[in-house]
Amino acid sequence: MLDNSIVHNMIVDMKKLYSTTAHATGDGRNGHVSSDDGVIDLDVRMPKELGGTGDATNPEQLFAAGYSACFHSALRLVAKEAGVDVTDSAVSATVHLGATEEGGFGIGVELDVSLPNATAEQAQQVVEQAHQVCPYSNATRNNIDVNLSVV
């Protein structure tokens, strides 16, 4: 059972900068997701690889989009502080869904970072720093495998 006092204390101890709420309805992976502000209003479908129709987005795609955008923002922040040129930079997140030995499911992430105007050493340094700053990286640390690569 979830100890709500622990979760509540973690949230209370954090200085909130932004909050948002999203909702899932329907049949889980074959349903609908929306945000309170209406910006997200999408059908979700099981991917073809898992026996679905694949004719709409899915939770893994949404997670990949969120992680890549969040990581790119963290990357730009630390690169600016380090004086590293982020012109034409990009981040791609590949999310893998798989079965665990315990009979459940898990995810893993590959983050591919492009910093064409940085040296290899600069790029590696800011990618590692961004991984310490990014909220998605902090939320997933020690929970899922996240592989970082500079391309």
Side-chain angles (χ1 to χ4, degrees), residues 92-117:
S92 297
T94 302
V95 173
H96 304 281
L97 174 69
T100 66
E101 291 178 7
E102 296 80 24
F105 297 94
I107 59 172
V109 177
E110 294 177 44
L111 292 174
D112 296 321
V113 181
S114 174
L115 283 162
N117 299 311

Side-chain angles (χ1 to χ4, degrees), residues 23 43 46-48 63 72 92-93 136:
H23 313 276
D43 286 334
M46 185 82 71
K48 286 182 182 180
F63 187 78
H72 198 202
S92 297
Y136 274 65

